[in-house]
Amino acid sequence: MNKQTIRDIQWQGKRALVRVDFNVPLDKTGVIGDDTRIRAALPTIRYLLENGASVVLMSHLGRPKKKVVEELRLRPVAERLFELLPEATEVRKTEVTTGAAAEAAVADLKPGQVLLLENTRFDPREESNDPKMAQELAKLGDVYVNDAFGTAHRAHASTEGVAQHLPAVAGFLMEAELNALYGALNDPQRPFVTIIGGAKISDKIKVIENLLSRVNALLIGGGMANTFLLAQGYNLGDSLIEPDSVDVARSLIEKAKAANVNLMLPTDAVIADAFSADAQTQTVAVDAVSAGWRVLDIGPATVAAYSAVIKDAKTVIWNGPMGVFEMEPFAVGTRAVAQALADASAQGAVTVIGGGDSVAAVEQAGLSDKMSHISTGGGASLELLEGRELPGVVALNDK
Ligand code: ADP
Ligand code: MG
């Protein structure tokens, strides 16, 4: 990675202003469901405290739509953080994000202490990347640290603007994400295989285009495979298809041929007579989908063919489930692909999972700890795979 990290800064007596992604699920009573995102930021916070800094944290939570929403205050997050971080002398919480009260709270802060600012998206200037807000944020620290990979694709005041006013470096989570994703993408051990799935081809066209010049094999699954199959003349019954993308699918197939990429499509499928967990199901070849039926998972022959390619790979990136994995009868293909990645990992391959639903599917399969890297940023990893620069990363100081 060509960006400076927290290791490049002398922290003693400095105030670190750290953008984290504490966008955790909260229920109506303010209880945190899954605290993975808070835990993911701990290595960076610990390092800063151990090296003599005081730490000022900022994060968004939910979608408050540019105003204060009481249920989206970060207080429960501050409380959980203090439980997870007993070595912090104190974890304080402000009711504001910037301004005089925030500056006073920060001025009081001693090395070893942590302060969590209020939800950045309460301020209407956050998402418009208002330079005034960025300047106000910059007053709250000596050095800016971005550890929020999940929002790095957004140019907001707390992710991009503020970095223009302070020395700006990556935290450990950001560094790990960039090393894993760019490492696999730009410097892969071969064979390099990617698996792309999910509901819609239109969401992933740019990803496929970017990958075609890099990979050895591209395995297509999920709802988007239907549009590719339609482009090849198959009848898909009542499956999810995107008629507007048939031409694009056809041209991607041609580009893959020209680039010598092994683009694989499903040869069989699990079909259902309704979009429902208790629908009637059948396993059929992709040329045998009748009207009234829809493709909701890849079939066993496809699983076997994809698994064989994955098991020989040295680098694998996976984005997008193979079927409607939220419903048990259509989770088999996704789970089998997850298992093939786990097996490839065990053979020494680098395996990287990006995409919110793919990550959820791997967790559901209980295979998370078998993968080389599970991305914490669905949207950010997608944009990175599209070959786009992430504004929150670009803004950091070069090595
Ligand atoms: P990710 O979040 O990993 O990038 P996407 O959001 O692109 O993945 O796609 C995930 C969604 O795709 C899931 O909700 C899943 O149910 C849906 N999906 C997968 N296969 C099909 C299919 N054959 N028909 C309809 N929806 C599908
Ligand atoms: Mg998704």
Side-chain angles (χ1 to χ4, degrees), residues 336-359:
V337 164
Q339 185 61 52
L341 261 81
D343 295 345
S345 288
Q347 299 293 317
V350 171
T351 50
V352 178
I353 321 293
D357 291 292
S358 324
V359 170

PDB file of all heavy atoms in Angstrom, residues 336-359:
ATOM      1  N   ALA A 336     -22.021 -24.245  -0.883  1.00  0.00           N
ATOM      2  CA  ALA A 336     -21.012 -25.109  -1.500  1.00  0.00           C
ATOM      3  C   ALA A 336     -19.842 -24.292  -2.034  1.00  0.00           C
ATOM      4  O   ALA A 336     -18.677 -24.698  -1.924  1.00  0.00           O
ATOM      5  CB  ALA A 336     -21.648 -25.933  -2.618  1.00  0.00           C
ATOM      6  N   VAL A 337     -20.136 -23.144  -2.611  1.00  0.00           N
ATOM      7  CA  VAL A 337     -19.059 -22.276  -3.103  1.00  0.00           C
ATOM      8  C   VAL A 337     -18.230 -21.755  -1.929  1.00  0.00           C
ATOM      9  O   VAL A 337     -16.995 -21.705  -1.993  1.00  0.00           O
ATOM     10  CB  VAL A 337     -19.639 -21.127  -3.966  1.00  0.00           C
ATOM     11  CG1 VAL A 337     -18.616 -20.016  -4.157  1.00  0.00           C
ATOM     12  CG2 VAL A 337     -20.084 -21.668  -5.318  1.00  0.00           C
ATOM     13  N   ALA A 338     -18.905 -21.404  -0.832  1.00  0.00           N
ATOM     14  CA  ALA A 338     -18.182 -20.976   0.369  1.00  0.00           C
ATOM     15  C   ALA A 338     -17.241 -22.085   0.840  1.00  0.00           C
ATOM     16  O   ALA A 338     -16.086 -21.838   1.200  1.00  0.00           O
ATOM     17  CB  ALA A 338     -19.165 -20.592   1.481  1.00  0.00           C
ATOM     18  N   GLN A 339     -17.730 -23.322   0.804  1.00  0.00           N
ATOM     19  CA  GLN A 339     -16.902 -24.460   1.225  1.00  0.00           C
ATOM     20  C   GLN A 339     -15.713 -24.645   0.276  1.00  0.00           C
ATOM     21  O   GLN A 339     -14.598 -24.921   0.728  1.00  0.00           O
ATOM     22  CB  GLN A 339     -17.754 -25.736   1.271  1.00  0.00           C
ATOM     23  CG  GLN A 339     -17.015 -26.945   1.822  1.00  0.00           C
ATOM     24  CD  GLN A 339     -16.544 -26.732   3.265  1.00  0.00           C
ATOM     25  OE1 GLN A 339     -17.331 -26.366   4.143  1.00  0.00           O
ATOM     26  NE2 GLN A 339     -15.242 -26.910   3.518  1.00  0.00           N
ATOM     27  N   ALA A 340     -15.945 -24.458  -1.027  1.00  0.00           N
ATOM     28  CA  ALA A 340     -14.843 -24.586  -1.992  1.00  0.00           C
ATOM     29  C   ALA A 340     -13.772 -23.524  -1.719  1.00  0.00           C
ATOM     30  O   ALA A 340     -12.570 -23.791  -1.809  1.00  0.00           O
ATOM     31  CB  ALA A 340     -15.375 -24.457  -3.421  1.00  0.00           C
ATOM     32  N   LEU A 341     -14.189 -22.318  -1.354  1.00  0.00           N
ATOM     33  CA  LEU A 341     -13.220 -21.272  -1.008  1.00  0.00           C
ATOM     34  C   LEU A 341     -12.452 -21.646   0.258  1.00  0.00           C
ATOM     35  O   LEU A 341     -11.239 -21.442   0.346  1.00  0.00           O
ATOM     36  CB  LEU A 341     -13.922 -19.922  -0.802  1.00  0.00           C
ATOM     37  CG  LEU A 341     -13.859 -18.982  -2.009  1.00  0.00           C
ATOM     38  CD1 LEU A 341     -14.927 -19.369  -3.019  1.00  0.00           C
ATOM     39  CD2 LEU A 341     -14.034 -17.544  -1.583  1.00  0.00           C
ATOM     40  N   ALA A 342     -13.187 -22.182   1.238  1.00  0.00           N
ATOM     41  CA  ALA A 342     -12.528 -22.600   2.481  1.00  0.00           C
ATOM     42  C   ALA A 342     -11.479 -23.665   2.179  1.00  0.00           C
ATOM     43  O   ALA A 342     -10.359 -23.631   2.706  1.00  0.00           O
ATOM     44  CB  ALA A 342     -13.564 -23.117   3.479  1.00  0.00           C
ATOM     45  N   ASP A 343     -11.822 -24.616   1.286  1.00  0.00           N
ATOM     46  CA  ASP A 343     -10.871 -25.665   0.911  1.00  0.00           C
ATOM     47  C   ASP A 343      -9.668 -25.072   0.179  1.00  0.00           C
ATOM     48  O   ASP A 343      -8.527 -25.488   0.410  1.00  0.00           O
ATOM     49  CB  ASP A 343     -11.549 -26.717   0.021  1.00  0.00           C
ATOM     50  CG  ASP A 343     -12.654 -27.476   0.757  1.00  0.00           C
ATOM     51  OD1 ASP A 343     -12.701 -27.395   1.999  1.00  0.00           O
ATOM     52  OD2 ASP A 343     -13.480 -28.123   0.084  1.00  0.00           O
ATOM     53  N   ALA A 344      -9.933 -24.107  -0.704  1.00  0.00           N
ATOM     54  CA  ALA A 344      -8.826 -23.451  -1.422  1.00  0.00           C
ATOM     55  C   ALA A 344      -7.904 -22.740  -0.434  1.00  0.00           C
ATOM     56  O   ALA A 344      -6.675 -22.819  -0.533  1.00  0.00           O
ATOM     57  CB  ALA A 344      -9.373 -22.472  -2.459  1.00  0.00           C
ATOM     58  N   SER A 345      -8.501 -22.062   0.547  1.00  0.00           N
ATOM     59  CA  SER A 345      -7.711 -21.400   1.598  1.00  0.00           C
ATOM     60  C   SER A 345      -6.796 -22.399   2.291  1.00  0.00           C
ATOM     61  O   SER A 345      -5.614 -22.130   2.513  1.00  0.00           O
ATOM     62  CB  SER A 345      -8.613 -20.784   2.680  1.00  0.00           C
ATOM     63  OG  SER A 345      -9.267 -19.650   2.206  1.00  0.00           O
ATOM     64  N   ALA A 346      -7.373 -23.551   2.628  1.00  0.00           N
ATOM     65  CA  ALA A 346      -6.596 -24.568   3.338  1.00  0.00           C
ATOM     66  C   ALA A 346      -5.421 -25.052   2.498  1.00  0.00           C
ATOM     67  O   ALA A 346      -4.406 -25.502   3.033  1.00  0.00           O
ATOM     68  CB  ALA A 346      -7.505 -25.746   3.720  1.00  0.00           C
ATOM     69  N   GLN A 347      -5.548 -24.942   1.159  1.00  0.00           N
ATOM     70  CA  GLN A 347      -4.458 -25.319   0.250  1.00  0.00           C
ATOM     71  C   GLN A 347      -3.498 -24.158   0.009  1.00  0.00           C
ATOM     72  O   GLN A 347      -2.626 -24.234  -0.846  1.00  0.00           O
ATOM     73  CB  GLN A 347      -5.021 -25.752  -1.110  1.00  0.00           C
ATOM     74  CG  GLN A 347      -5.954 -26.953  -1.062  1.00  0.00           C
ATOM     75  CD  GLN A 347      -5.228 -28.218  -0.655  1.00  0.00           C
ATOM     76  OE1 GLN A 347      -4.124 -28.480  -1.118  1.00  0.00           O
ATOM     77  NE2 GLN A 347      -5.828 -28.979   0.249  1.00  0.00           N
ATOM     78  N   GLY A 348      -3.717 -23.044   0.704  1.00  0.00           N
ATOM     79  CA  GLY A 348      -2.781 -21.927   0.584  1.00  0.00           C
ATOM     80  C   GLY A 348      -3.215 -20.811  -0.341  1.00  0.00           C
ATOM     81  O   GLY A 348      -2.473 -19.858  -0.566  1.00  0.00           O
ATOM     82  N   ALA A 349      -4.428 -20.900  -0.891  1.00  0.00           N
ATOM     83  CA  ALA A 349      -4.896 -19.811  -1.763  1.00  0.00           C
ATOM     84  C   ALA A 349      -5.283 -18.596  -0.921  1.00  0.00           C
ATOM     85  O   ALA A 349      -5.639 -18.728   0.253  1.00  0.00           O
ATOM     86  CB  ALA A 349      -6.102 -20.273  -2.574  1.00  0.00           C
ATOM     87  N   VAL A 350      -5.189 -17.422  -1.552  1.00  0.00           N
ATOM     88  CA  VAL A 350      -5.687 -16.196  -0.937  1.00  0.00           C
ATOM     89  C   VAL A 350      -7.159 -16.073  -1.315  1.00  0.00           C
ATOM     90  O   VAL A 350      -7.505 -16.102  -2.502  1.00  0.00           O
ATOM     91  CB  VAL A 350      -4.905 -14.974  -1.452  1.00  0.00           C
ATOM     92  CG1 VAL A 350      -5.556 -13.675  -0.978  1.00  0.00           C
ATOM     93  CG2 VAL A 350      -3.460 -15.048  -0.985  1.00  0.00           C
ATOM     94  N   THR A 351      -8.043 -15.969  -0.321  1.00  0.00           N
ATOM     95  CA  THR A 351      -9.480 -15.893  -0.584  1.00  0.00           C
ATOM     96  C   THR A 351     -10.053 -14.629   0.035  1.00  0.00           C
ATOM     97  O   THR A 351      -9.898 -14.389   1.228  1.00  0.00           O
ATOM     98  CB  THR A 351     -10.202 -17.131  -0.012  1.00  0.00           C
ATOM     99  OG1 THR A 351      -9.791 -17.311   1.349  1.00  0.00           O
ATOM    100  CG2 THR A 351      -9.864 -18.386  -0.800  1.00  0.00           C
ATOM    101  N   VAL A 352     -10.685 -13.823  -0.797  1.00  0.00           N
ATOM    102  CA  VAL A 352     -11.181 -12.520  -0.361  1.00  0.00           C
ATOM    103  C   VAL A 352     -12.680 -12.439  -0.646  1.00  0.00           C
ATOM    104  O   VAL A 352     -13.120 -12.708  -1.768  1.00  0.00           O
ATOM    105  CB  VAL A 352     -10.439 -11.389  -1.113  1.00  0.00           C
ATOM    106  CG1 VAL A 352     -10.979 -10.022  -0.700  1.00  0.00           C
ATOM    107  CG2 VAL A 352      -8.934 -11.465  -0.856  1.00  0.00           C
ATOM    108  N   ILE A 353     -13.457 -12.075   0.379  1.00  0.00           N
ATOM    109  CA  ILE A 353     -14.905 -11.958   0.223  1.00  0.00           C
ATOM    110  C   ILE A 353     -15.300 -10.493   0.342  1.00  0.00           C
ATOM    111  O   ILE A 353     -14.997  -9.837   1.342  1.00  0.00           O
ATOM    112  CB  ILE A 353     -15.677 -12.729   1.327  1.00  0.00           C
ATOM    113  CG1 ILE A 353     -15.007 -14.055   1.661  1.00  0.00           C
ATOM    114  CG2 ILE A 353     -17.144 -12.896   0.946  1.00  0.00           C
ATOM    115  CD1 ILE A 353     -15.022 -15.075   0.590  1.00  0.00           C
ATOM    116  N   GLY A 354     -15.975  -9.972  -0.688  1.00  0.00           N
ATOM    117  CA  GLY A 354     -16.473  -8.597  -0.637  1.00  0.00           C
ATOM    118  C   GLY A 354     -17.952  -8.598  -0.951  1.00  0.00           C
ATOM    119  O   GLY A 354     -18.431  -9.477  -1.670  1.00  0.00           O
ATOM    120  N   GLY A 355     -18.694  -7.618  -0.432  1.00  0.00           N
ATOM    121  CA  GLY A 355     -20.139  -7.583  -0.692  1.00  0.00           C
ATOM    122  C   GLY A 355     -20.908  -7.982   0.545  1.00  0.00           C
ATOM    123  O   GLY A 355     -20.668  -9.049   1.109  1.00  0.00           O
ATOM    124  N   GLY A 356     -21.844  -7.149   0.957  1.00  0.00           N
ATOM    125  CA  GLY A 356     -22.558  -7.358   2.216  1.00  0.00           C
ATOM    126  C   GLY A 356     -23.239  -8.710   2.296  1.00  0.00           C
ATOM    127  O   GLY A 356     -23.135  -9.422   3.304  1.00  0.00           O
ATOM    128  N   ASP A 357     -23.957  -9.094   1.237  1.00  0.00           N
ATOM    129  CA  ASP A 357     -24.700 -10.344   1.288  1.00  0.00           C
ATOM    130  C   ASP A 357     -23.785 -11.558   1.205  1.00  0.00           C
ATOM    131  O   ASP A 357     -24.047 -12.579   1.834  1.00  0.00           O
ATOM    132  CB  ASP A 357     -25.741 -10.384   0.164  1.00  0.00           C
ATOM    133  CG  ASP A 357     -26.848  -9.375   0.403  1.00  0.00           C
ATOM    134  OD1 ASP A 357     -27.621  -9.573   1.348  1.00  0.00           O
ATOM    135  OD2 ASP A 357     -26.908  -8.371  -0.334  1.00  0.00           O
ATOM    136  N   SER A 358     -22.711 -11.442   0.427  1.00  0.00           N
ATOM    137  CA  SER A 358     -21.766 -12.570   0.345  1.00  0.00           C
ATOM    138  C   SER A 358     -21.122 -12.807   1.704  1.00  0.00           C
ATOM    139  O   SER A 358     -20.954 -13.953   2.127  1.00  0.00           O
ATOM    140  CB  SER A 358     -20.665 -12.287  -0.674  1.00  0.00           C
ATOM    141  OG  SER A 358     -21.169 -11.582  -1.767  1.00  0.00           O
ATOM    142  N   VAL A 359     -20.764 -11.724   2.380  1.00  0.00           N
ATOM    143  CA  VAL A 359     -20.161 -11.839   3.713  1.00  0.00           C
ATOM    144  C   VAL A 359     -21.157 -12.490   4.667  1.00  0.00           C
ATOM    145  O   VAL A 359     -20.809 -13.404   5.423  1.00  0.00           O
ATOM    146  CB  VAL A 359     -19.717 -10.453   4.233  1.00  0.00           C
ATOM    147  CG1 VAL A 359     -19.321 -10.529   5.703  1.00  0.00           C
ATOM    148  CG2 VAL A 359     -18.564  -9.915   3.389  1.00  0.00           C
TER     149      VAL A 359
END
